[in-house]
Amino acid sequence: MTQVHYDKIALIGIGLIGSSLARMIRKAGLAGSITIASRSGHTLAAAKALDLGDHYTTDNAEAVRDADLVIVSVPVGASGQVAEDIAAALKPGSTVTDVGSTKASVIRQMQPHMPSHVQFIPGHPIAGTEQSGPEAGFAELFAGRWCILTPLPDADPDAVARLTRFWEACGSRVDQMDPEHHDMVLAIVSHLPHIIAYNIVGTADDLEMVTESEVIKYSASGFRDFTRLAASDPTMWRDVCLHNKDAILEMLARFSEDLASLQRMIRWGDGDKLFELFTRTRHVRRSIIEAGQDVAVPNFGRNVQAPTDSAKPD
Amino acid sequence: MTQVHYDKIALIGIGLIGSSLARMIRKAGLAGSITIASRSGHTLAAAKALDLGDHYTTDNAEAVRDADLVIVSVPVGASGQVAEDIAAALKPGSTVTDVGSTKASVIRQMQPHMPSHVQFIPGHPIAGTEQSGPEAGFAELFAGRWCILTPLPDADPDAVARLTRFWEACGSRVDQMDPEHHDMVLAIVSHLPHIIAYNIVGTADDLEMVTESEVIKYSASGFRDFTRLAASDPTMWRDVCLHNKDAILEMLARFSEDLASLQRMIRWGDGDKLFELFTRTRHVRRSIIEAGQDVAVPNFGRNVQAPTDSAKPD
């Protein structure tokens, strides 16, 4: 059986993902000690107040010294700087991984700095919420979610197997694919949805004939669903847009073509084609629920509530 | 105090909204008796099996005879036919209302058939789920949600006040506006979000370089949120598209302009402008939560779950 325990794990970055990992590593006893690094003293103090690790530092190099596993959890645009910071201090035989939402760009940024005596295995847990920062994390974040590893061609199979076991011990299921395919898949399942959500909330915010107060009051009719994604961390999503440009532009072009076609159906009153599209999309949700990737209750369970006082008759 | 109880209420159509009303009317004792009409014998049998009313019929005219309040809850494209069906059987002094998602079109379809001895007061409860049919309804659907009435200029203030009290007794808060403004507001808060959701799910379904299985497995990274709206009733949404065309085309044009601008920021790597947009949209969600129109918990509460067995360490 592959060893899942690491003597020392270093977490570089302690936002939603880093702090959820810290909690799960503690809970499942996956490390002898946890060292947490953040370049922000404020964030580090928050992590310390939450008792997320054993050691805390603002110095990335100091954090990785003697670490058997280094997990980089920073906005993807900061990956290159972190790699440069830690390169000389990495322990021979250790594994370096990351959790970034884009993989080809992270590899381009980090790989040139990685010494030959460490295993660099890029990764991406498909899990998150719209919240950010060390307070937002929780140990169950990865339960039942997928984690995608994109090992390079010369990766050591034992190191990959051990990292796989680590993510499984965090509750995840683990897949492998090449970085370019990862970036294409994520462009449609994650990046495009976030961009579209930011865009529609921006459009609504700009209207001059419908007030913001009206948008907010009547948002339960659909709009509110988009505001969750559009409340995600701006730094993270700016970096995703800048670092997965080609795949995102490809998906945006397809989306816009399809939307132009749908707009034409509406303009010309083509009810049959509208009905056909609106029927075809229903099965996707059923499949997602069957795959355990969403809850089956209506309205994501938000309507399951006790009636309020105002619901009582006279 | 305005009387809220009606001796006899007739519900024409018994889908998600009609059946939720039936349950709430019973629960809050808002009517002496409930008559349910559906043109589908299958739907009517389901309503009967659920014990949603006191009388059942496939004949709309028979349903409204002696009714003090008639609530039409059918896809908006069927409103004109229902109005024609019931016109001659309506009781003098009774009130006819509806729950349709578009108001100008419903008024155009129904108003010409309404006899002068009844009060026709169009309405729209801003509440729903992605499910449909009599089984999908529940009494608490309207609790804390808004209901918009769009009374015509010659409406009797007492009849409007009584209908307002009825919706308040169902748990709703009630607003009034003119039908054209309603249709513009709903185009942005409800119709555009549904159309965008249907479109993105269609785009993902059509991809040749990403499999459907991949879209489903990794959907927790954002995509799954859109699949809820895209699982809504196809007949209802076809009719909305056909019956609120002008306002929807206006909102689609604005959305597409904004998306083209966002796409340009991505193509040219304008990180500052991306960051500015992604920051600006965050406050909208906070306002919606403060207004009681969505839950504050991350991921709509879907992540708040016990860790699964697979989350246990070795």
Side-chain angles (χ1 to χ4, degrees):
Chain A
M1 190 63 158
T2 309
Q3 166 75 281
V4 63
H5 185 275
Y6 292 89
D7 281 342
K8 176 180 165 183
I9 293 182
L11 299 173
I12 312 291
I14 193 72
L16 171 71
I17 301 292
S19 74
S20 294
L21 277 170
R23 289 172 168 94
M24 191 61 203
I25 290 166
R26 274 274 176 87
K27 186 171 176 175
L30 301 177
S33 78
I34 301 173
T35 297
I36 291 172
S38 170
R39 299 184 73 179
S40 150
H42 177 77
T43 303
L44 205 61
K48 203 168 179 174
L50 291 161
D51 188 29
L52 295 177
D54 302 293
H55 307 285
Y56 303 88
T57 174
T58 54
D59 182 336
N60 289 338
E62 188 189 316
V64 304
R65 224 175 295 278
D66 305 320
D68 305 286
L69 176 63
V70 176
I71 307 177
V72 179
S73 313
V74 300
V76 290
S79 308
Q81 183 60 54
V82 168
E84 209 179 316
D85 291 349
I86 64 177
L90 288 167
K91 176 179 166 183
S94 66
T95 291
V96 176
T97 188
D98 80 305
V99 301
S101 305
T102 70
K103 295 272 62 77
S105 157
V106 165
I107 292 170
R108 272 196 307 273
Q109 293 178 74
M110 293 188 70
Q111 176 66 3
H113 299 287
M114 291 294 109
S116 57
H117 59 69
V118 309
Q119 285 292 319
F120 172 50
I121 308 169
H124 179 204
I126 312 297
T129 79
E130 68 277 24
Q131 301 194 349
S132 48
E135 300 84 357
F138 52 99
E140 296 79 17
L141 180 62
F142 310 106
R145 299 284 89 84
W146 288 90
C147 179
I148 299 174
L149 301 181
T150 62
L152 303 172
D154 60 349
D156 171 28
D158 289 343
V160 175
R162 192 171 172 191
L163 186 62
T164 300
R165 294 285 301 118
F166 170 82
W167 277 109
E168 288 170 352
C170 289
S172 290
R173 293 180 272 183
V174 180
D175 267 344
Q176 285 187 30
M177 60 181 74
D178 70 65
E180 290 69 29
H181 188 64
H182 167 279
D183 288 357
M184 191 62 84
V185 171
L186 268 288
I188 187 69
V189 297
S190 177
H191 307 170
L192 186 63
H194 278 82
I195 288 164
I196 295 304
Y198 279 121
N199 194 67
I200 196 172
V201 176
T203 301
D205 199 40
D206 282 344
L207 293 176
E208 70 286 357
M209 70 286 225
V210 177
T211 68
E212 185 173 310
S213 152
E214 287 173 322
V215 169
I216 288 160
K217 280 165 76 174
Y218 311 129
S219 60
S221 54
F223 184 76
R224 63 176 174 173
D225 282 23
F226 291 70
T227 63
R228 187 183 82 77
L229 294 181
S232 301
D233 184 47
T235 304
M236 171 182 167
W237 285 97
R238 177 200 61 197
D239 281 8
V240 167
C241 288
L242 298 177
H243 288 268
N244 195 23
K245 190 174 86 169
D246 293 344
I248 289 173
L249 290 176
E250 169 69 23
M251 294 305 170
L252 270 170
R254 287 168 182 255
F255 173 87
S256 293
E257 270 171 38
D258 292 345
L259 190 61
S261 160
L262 175 44
Q263 184 167 328
R264 198 168 187 283
M265 296 176 206
I266 294 172
R267 188 178 299 281
W268 294 99
D270 193 340
D272 290 345
K273 276 202 191 141
L274 290 169
F275 187 83
E276 191 270 321
L277 171 64
F278 297 172
T279 304
R280 180 159 76 85
T281 51
R282 283 193 127 173
H283 78 279
V284 180
R285 181 149 188 86
R286 274 197 301 274
S287 303
I288 286 173
I289 291 166
E290 283 162 17
Q293 296 304 313
D294 209 343
V295 294
V297 285
N299 262 332
F300 304 125
R302 291 174 295 186
N303 263 103
V304 183
Q305 56 181 16
T308 61
D309 283 339
S310 62
K312 290 192 189 129
D314 299 86
Chain B
M1 192 61 155
T2 309
Q3 167 73 278
V4 64
H5 185 275
Y6 291 89
D7 279 343
K8 175 180 165 184
I9 293 181
L11 299 173
I12 312 291
I14 193 72
L16 170 70
I17 301 291
S19 73
S20 295
L21 276 170
R23 288 171 168 93
M24 191 62 202
I25 291 165
R26 274 274 177 87
K27 185 170 176 173
L30 302 176
S33 79
I34 302 173
T35 297
I36 292 172
S38 170
R39 299 184 71 177
S40 151
H42 177 77
T43 303
L44 205 62
K48 202 168 179 174
L50 291 161
D51 188 29
L52 295 177
D54 303 292
H55 308 285
Y56 303 86
T57 173
T58 55
D59 182 335
N60 290 337
E62 188 190 315
V64 305
R65 226 176 293 278
D66 305 320
D68 305 286
L69 175 64
V70 175
I71 307 179
V72 179
S73 312
V74 300
V76 290
S79 308
Q81 184 60 55
V82 169
E84 210 179 316
D85 290 349
I86 64 177
L90 289 167
K91 176 179 165 182
S94 65
T95 290
V96 177
T97 188
D98 79 308
V99 302
S101 305
T102 70
K103 295 272 63 79
S105 157
V106 166
I107 292 169
R108 273 195 307 272
Q109 294 177 74
M110 294 188 69
Q111 176 66 4
H113 299 288
M114 291 294 110
S116 57
H117 59 70
V118 308
Q119 287 291 319
F120 171 50
I121 308 170
H124 179 205
I126 313 297
T129 79
E130 68 276 23
Q131 302 195 349
S132 47
E135 299 84 357
F138 51 101
E140 297 78 16
L141 180 62
F142 310 105
R145 298 283 89 83
W146 288 88
C147 180
I148 298 174
L149 301 181
T150 62
L152 303 171
D154 61 349
D156 171 28
D158 289 343
V160 174
R162 192 172 172 190
L163 186 61
T164 300
R165 293 285 302 115
F166 169 81
W167 277 109
E168 287 170 351
C170 288
S172 290
R173 292 178 273 182
V174 180
D175 267 345
Q176 284 187 31
M177 60 180 73
D178 69 65
E180 290 71 26
H181 188 64
H182 167 279
D183 288 357
M184 190 63 83
V185 171
L186 269 289
I188 186 69
V189 297
S190 177
H191 307 171
L192 185 63
H194 279 81
I195 288 165
I196 295 303
Y198 279 120
N199 194 67
I200 196 171
V201 176
T203 301
D205 200 40
D206 282 344
L207 293 176
E208 70 286 359
M209 70 288 224
V210 177
T211 67
E212 185 170 311
S213 154
E214 289 174 320
V215 169
I216 287 159
K217 280 165 77 174
Y218 311 128
S219 61
S221 54
F223 184 76
R224 63 176 174 172
D225 281 24
F226 291 71
T227 62
R228 187 184 81 77
L229 294 181
S232 302
D233 183 49
T235 305
M236 171 181 167
W237 285 99
R238 177 200 61 198
D239 280 10
V240 167
C241 288
L242 299 176
H243 288 270
N244 195 23
K245 190 174 87 169
D246 294 343
I248 289 173
L249 289 175
E250 168 70 24
M251 294 305 170
L252 270 171
R254 287 168 181 255
F255 173 87
S256 293
E257 271 171 37
D258 291 345
L259 190 62
S261 161
L262 175 44
Q263 185 167 328
R264 199 169 186 283
M265 295 176 207
I266 293 171
R267 188 178 298 281
W268 293 98
D270 193 341
D272 290 345
K273 275 200 192 143
L274 290 168
F275 187 83
E276 191 270 321
L277 171 65
F278 296 171
T279 304
R280 180 158 78 85
T281 50
R282 284 193 126 174
H283 79 279
V284 179
R285 180 145 189 88
R286 275 198 300 275
S287 304
I288 286 173
I289 291 166
E290 283 162 15
Q293 296 304 311
D294 208 342
V295 294
V297 285
N299 263 332
F300 303 125
R302 290 174 296 186
N303 263 101
V304 183
Q305 56 182 15
T308 62
D309 283 340
S310 62
K312 289 192 189 131
D314 298 85

Coordinates of all heavy atoms in Angstrom, one line a residue, chain A residues 7-14 22 26 31-38 43-45 47-49 51-59 62-67:
Chain A
D7 N 5.8 13.4 6.4 CA 6.3 14.0 7.7 C 6.0 15.5 7.8 O 5.5 15.9 8.8 CB 7.9 13.7 7.8 CG 8.2 12.3 8.2 OD1 7.2 11.6 8.7 OD2 9.3 11.8 8.0
K8 N 6.4 16.2 6.8 CA 6.1 17.6 6.8 C 5.5 18.1 5.5 O 6.0 17.8 4.4 CB 7.4 18.4 7.1 CG 7.3 19.9 7.1 CD 8.6 20.7 7.3 CE 8.4 22.1 6.9 NZ 9.6 22.9 7.0
I9 N 4.4 18.8 5.7 CA 3.7 19.4 4.5 C 3.8 20.9 4.6 O 3.6 21.5 5.7 CB 2.2 19.0 4.4 CG1 2.1 17.5 4.1 CG2 1.5 19.8 3.3 CD1 0.7 17.0 3.9
A10 N 4.3 21.6 3.5 CA 4.3 23.0 3.5 C 3.2 23.5 2.6 O 3.0 23.1 1.4 CB 5.6 23.5 3.0
L11 N 2.3 24.4 3.1 CA 1.3 25.0 2.3 C 1.7 26.5 2.0 O 1.8 27.3 2.9 CB 0.0 25.1 3.1 CG -0.6 23.7 3.5 CD1 -1.8 23.9 4.5 CD2 -1.0 22.9 2.3
I12 N 1.9 26.7 0.7 CA 2.2 28.1 0.2 C 0.9 28.8 -0.2 O 0.4 28.4 -1.3 CB 3.2 28.1 -0.9 CG1 4.4 27.1 -0.6 CG2 3.7 29.5 -1.2 CD1 5.3 27.6 0.5
G13 N 0.4 29.7 0.5 CA -0.9 30.3 0.3 C -1.9 29.6 1.2 O -2.0 28.4 1.2
I14 N -2.7 30.4 1.8 CA -3.7 29.8 2.8 C -5.1 30.5 2.7 O -5.7 30.9 3.6 CB -3.1 29.9 4.2 CG1 -3.8 29.1 5.3 CG2 -2.9 31.4 4.7 CD1 -3.6 27.6 5.1
A22 N -5.4 22.4 5.0 CA -4.9 22.4 6.3 C -5.8 21.7 7.3 O -5.4 20.8 8.0 CB -4.6 23.8 6.8
R26 N -5.1 17.9 9.0 CA -5.1 17.7 10.5 C -6.2 16.7 10.8 O -5.9 15.7 11.6 CB -5.6 19.1 11.1 CG -4.5 20.0 11.4 CD -3.9 19.7 12.8 NE -2.8 20.6 13.1 CZ -2.9 21.8 13.7 NH1 -4.1 22.3 14.0 NH2 -1.9 22.5 13.9
A31 N -0.2 14.4 8.0 CA 1.1 14.9 8.1 C 1.6 15.0 9.5 O 0.8 15.2 10.4 CB 1.2 16.4 7.5
G32 N 2.9 14.9 9.7 CA 3.5 15.1 11.0 C 3.4 16.5 11.5 O 3.1 16.8 12.6
S33 N 3.7 17.4 10.5 CA 3.5 18.8 10.8 C 3.2 19.6 9.6 O 3.4 19.2 8.5 CB 4.8 19.4 11.4 OG 5.8 19.6 10.4
I34 N 2.5 20.7 9.8 CA 2.1 21.6 8.7 C 2.8 23.0 8.9 O 2.6 23.6 9.9 CB 0.6 21.8 8.7 CG1 -0.2 20.5 8.6 CG2 0.1 22.8 7.6 CD1 -1.7 20.6 8.8
T35 N 3.4 23.4 7.8 CA 4.0 24.8 7.8 C 3.2 25.6 6.8 O 3.0 25.2 5.7 CB 5.5 24.8 7.5 OG1 6.2 24.1 8.5 CG2 6.0 26.2 7.4
I36 N 2.8 26.8 7.3 CA 2.0 27.7 6.4 C 2.7 28.9 6.1 O 3.3 29.6 7.0 CB 0.6 28.0 7.2 CG1 -0.2 26.7 7.3 CG2 -0.1 29.1 6.5 CD1 -1.4 26.9 8.2
A37 N 2.7 29.2 4.8 CA 3.4 30.5 4.3 C 2.4 31.3 3.6 O 1.6 30.9 2.8 CB 4.5 30.1 3.4
S38 N 2.4 32.6 3.9 CA 1.7 33.6 3.2 C 2.5 34.9 3.1 O 3.2 35.2 4.1 CB 0.3 33.9 3.8 OG -0.3 35.0 3.2
T43 N -3.0 37.8 6.5 CA -3.6 36.5 6.2 C -2.9 35.4 7.2 O -3.6 34.5 7.7 CB -3.3 36.1 4.8 OG1 -3.9 37.1 3.9 CG2 -3.9 34.7 4.4
L44 N -1.6 35.6 7.4 CA -0.9 34.6 8.2 C -1.4 34.7 9.6 O -1.6 33.6 10.3 CB 0.6 34.9 8.1 CG 1.5 33.8 8.4 CD1 1.4 32.6 7.4 CD2 3.0 34.3 8.4
A45 N -1.7 35.9 10.1 CA -2.2 36.1 11.5 C -3.6 35.4 11.6 O -3.9 34.8 12.6 CB -2.3 37.5 11.8
A47 N -4.6 32.8 9.8 CA -4.4 31.4 9.8 C -4.0 30.9 11.2 O -4.4 29.9 11.7 CB -3.4 31.0 8.7
K48 N -3.1 31.7 11.8 CA -2.6 31.4 13.1 C -3.8 31.4 14.2 O -3.9 30.5 15.0 CB -1.5 32.4 13.5 CG -0.6 31.9 14.6 CD 0.6 32.8 14.7 CE 1.6 32.3 15.8 NZ 2.8 33.1 15.8
A49 N -4.6 32.4 14.1 CA -5.7 32.6 15.0 C -6.7 31.4 14.8 O -7.3 30.9 15.8 CB -6.5 33.9 14.7
D51 N -5.6 28.4 14.1 CA -4.8 27.3 14.5 C -4.8 26.2 13.3 O -5.0 25.0 13.5 CB -5.4 26.6 15.8 CG -4.5 25.5 16.3 OD1 -3.2 25.6 16.1 OD2 -5.0 24.5 16.9
L52 N -4.5 26.7 12.1 CA -4.5 25.8 11.0 C -3.2 25.0 10.8 O -3.2 24.0 10.1 CB -4.8 26.7 9.7 CG -6.1 27.4 9.6 CD1 -6.2 28.2 8.3 CD2 -7.3 26.3 9.6
G53 N -2.1 25.5 11.4 CA -0.9 24.7 11.2 C 0.0 24.7 12.4 O -0.5 25.0 13.5
D54 N 1.3 24.2 12.2 CA 2.2 24.1 13.4 C 3.2 25.3 13.3 O 3.7 25.7 14.3 CB 2.9 22.8 13.3 CG 1.9 21.6 13.4 OD1 1.2 21.5 14.4 OD2 1.7 20.9 12.4
H55 N 3.6 25.7 12.1 CA 4.6 26.8 11.9 C 4.0 27.7 10.9 O 3.3 27.4 10.0 CB 5.9 26.2 11.4 CG 6.4 25.1 12.3 ND1 6.9 25.3 13.6 CD2 6.4 23.7 12.1 CE1 7.3 24.1 14.1 NE2 7.0 23.2 13.3
Y56 N 4.4 29.0 11.0 CA 3.9 30.1 10.2 C 5.1 31.0 9.8 O 5.9 31.3 10.6 CB 2.9 30.9 10.9 CG 1.7 30.1 11.4 CD1 1.8 29.6 12.7 CD2 0.6 30.0 10.7 CE1 0.7 28.8 13.2 CE2 -0.5 29.2 11.2 CZ -0.4 28.6 12.4 OH -1.5 27.9 12.9
T57 N 5.1 31.4 8.5 CA 6.2 32.2 8.0 C 5.7 33.0 6.8 O 4.8 32.6 6.1 CB 7.4 31.4 7.6 OG1 8.4 32.3 7.1 CG2 7.1 30.3 6.6
T58 N 6.3 34.2 6.6 CA 6.0 35.0 5.4 C 7.1 34.7 4.4 O 7.1 35.3 3.3 CB 6.0 36.5 5.7 OG1 7.3 36.8 6.3 CG2 4.9 36.9 6.6
D59 N 8.0 33.8 4.7 CA 9.2 33.5 3.8 C 8.9 32.1 3.1 O 9.0 31.1 3.8 CB 10.4 33.5 4.6 CG 11.7 33.2 3.8 OD1 11.6 32.6 2.7 OD2 12.8 33.6 4.3
E62 N 11.7 29.5 3.5 CA 11.8 28.9 4.8 C 10.8 27.8 5.0 O 11.0 26.8 5.6 CB 11.7 30.0 5.9 CG 11.9 29.6 7.3 CD 11.5 30.7 8.3 OE1 11.9 31.8 8.1 OE2 10.9 30.3 9.3
A63 N 9.6 28.1 4.4 CA 8.5 27.2 4.6 C 8.7 25.8 4.0 O 8.4 24.8 4.6 CB 7.2 27.8 4.0
V64 N 9.4 25.8 2.9 CA 9.6 24.5 2.2 C 10.8 23.7 2.6 O 10.9 22.5 2.3 CB 9.7 24.7 0.6 CG1 8.4 25.4 0.1 CG2 11.0 25.3 0.2
R65 N 11.7 24.3 3.4 CA 12.9 23.6 3.9 C 12.4 22.3 4.7 O 11.6 22.5 5.6 CB 13.7 24.5 4.8 CG 15.2 24.5 4.5 CD 16.0 25.5 5.3 NE 15.7 26.9 5.0 CZ 16.2 27.6 3.9 NH1 17.1 27.0 3.1 NH2 15.9 28.8 3.7
D66 N 13.0 21.2 4.3 CA 12.6 19.9 4.9 C 11.2 19.4 4.7 O 10.8 18.4 5.2 CB 12.8 20.0 6.5 CG 14.2 20.4 6.8 OD1 15.2 20.0 6.2 OD2 14.4 21.2 7.8
A67 N 10.5 20.1 3.8 CA 9.1 19.6 3.6 C 9.1 18.4 2.6 O 9.9 18.5 1.6 CB 8.2 20.7 3.0

